Amino acid sequence: MCHACVIDKVKTGMLSRRDLFRGGAAAGVAAVAAGAMSARPALAQSSGKVVDLTHAYDGDFPTFDGNPGILYSSQYDHDPDGYKIWELTIYEHTGTHIDAPLHFAPDGASVAELEPENLMCPLCVVDITGKAADDANAMVEAEDIEAWVSANGAIPEGACVAMHSGWGAKVGEASFRNTPDGALAFPGFAKSATDMLLDMGAACIGVDTLSLDPGNSADFAVHYSWLPAGRYGIENLANLDQLPATGATVFVGAPKHKQGTGGPARVLAVT
Amino acid sequence: MCHACVIDKVKTGMLSRRDLFRGGAAAGVAAVAAGAMSARPALAQSSGKVVDLTHAYDGDFPTFDGNPGILYSSQYDHDPDGYKIWELTIYEHTGTHIDAPLHFAPDGASVAELEPENLMCPLCVVDITGKAADDANAMVEAEDIEAWVSANGAIPEGACVAMHSGWGAKVGEASFRNTPDGALAFPGFAKSATDMLLDMGAACIGVDTLSLDPGNSADFAVHYSWLPAGRYGIENLANLDQLPATGATVFVGAPKHKQGTGGPARVLAVT
């Protein structure tokens, strides 16, 4: 089933978004479900090297809306309680975190409903550091996916396709989020690329920036198409420069609170 | 270095607890660090089957103190905002979650400081369902570890050793936490077993119950020895009945908020 057909069926209600994500009737979805197993060859060749794609974060970590993403309050402490526990206030979309379909689709899968098989993915790293150095709002376009495929072979079904823009190294700088005059500015995916990845059966896209869409997006075109189509995203990835373009496997430690729209995650890659 | 020596040096301050966890001077610690790589053979033999060891949770999930572990408040919603985000209040030790050394050791490693290599572990499942059916406060004792080794070979260095008591299937029942008269009652580890696992270089212990110590523990002997020795724990594991005693690899999606004492995690096993 072509991407346009899937989107059309979603729009007309012939295929629910939730069924779509769960691997129901559509051929494209069946491909995703089957594709999750394609991590096996990568695992079988694993060197066992672990790369942590997760930023450590606290209330100083940059957020999309500029407010602290986590607040700490002591519930118990070593003195006098003998042990320590924090009461945390977490605004779900902070730190290295998941965007579940429910984030942008009222009937989309919650983060607790993501299929476990889609949390272990062949990882494809698309390097756009060159154009991102010239344009803070650079995008992974369809032609970047085509170039990646020409160089590395097909995008595996069930893959996580991650944008490496170089922004992961800027996380302590104002330029991670803004231009000098305060406008949001960071790289992201173009819908031309994610429409192609929908057809190819990717399970997930990831970015090393604050949003799947670039900072200057006026319409959140990727959020409003990728997530309602039943796929998920990861924002604020770290250390993508330490990974090859292809061959790694990523384990996505998505949180599992019921009805969650996403949330802070631990993301580990194995090469 | 024998376990008694390590504990003695920790007590006398010759070896800091944080250094111990980080793989500093002690031979036992070096073994843990090296052992993290021993997941490789298991991965190389992987079938690619993913087993989710994580319970989906919300405010109804049972907790040690009996209070809700998570509260939800709407920050943004589809109508009128166009997308949905929850403000979550999380008491760190709820759901399937990590106990980091800092939970019981003032100078222990936080959950963000766990070594990524120790989040990918060979998984050893110790089945005590038989005695747990007769005694709700049954424990994994040293002799259970010895019996496991006799049947399955050495505990791999850097392993996660998980207690399978059968409690994972009781999570919706009052008996997950209590006796009929309201006393805390659930299986856990005995210090005799965890002292042995310290010597063997295990990185982590896991339980399918609310606590590393059994429900009737008066002294939290395991929490007060295992965690200050620089190792970590996982509580409320699910689906251990779906795994072999040996041969699986576990990916521990520990949260990474700075200074965290632990917190809700996604735990995935690959067989």
Side-chain angles (χ1 to χ4, degrees), chain B residues 2 11 29 64 70 79 112 114 125 142 161-163 213 216 218 229 238 261-262:
Chain B
C2 70
K11 284 180 178 168
V29 178
F64 188 85
I70 183 170
D79 182 10
L114 298 175
V125 179
V161 180
M163 174 189 79
D213 291 279
N216 65 351
T261 72

Side-chain angles (χ1 to χ4, degrees), chain A residues 101-116:
Chain A
L102 180 59
H103 183 34
F104 271 70
D107 60 352
S110 76
V111 73
E113 293 170 330
L114 298 176
E115 292 291 343

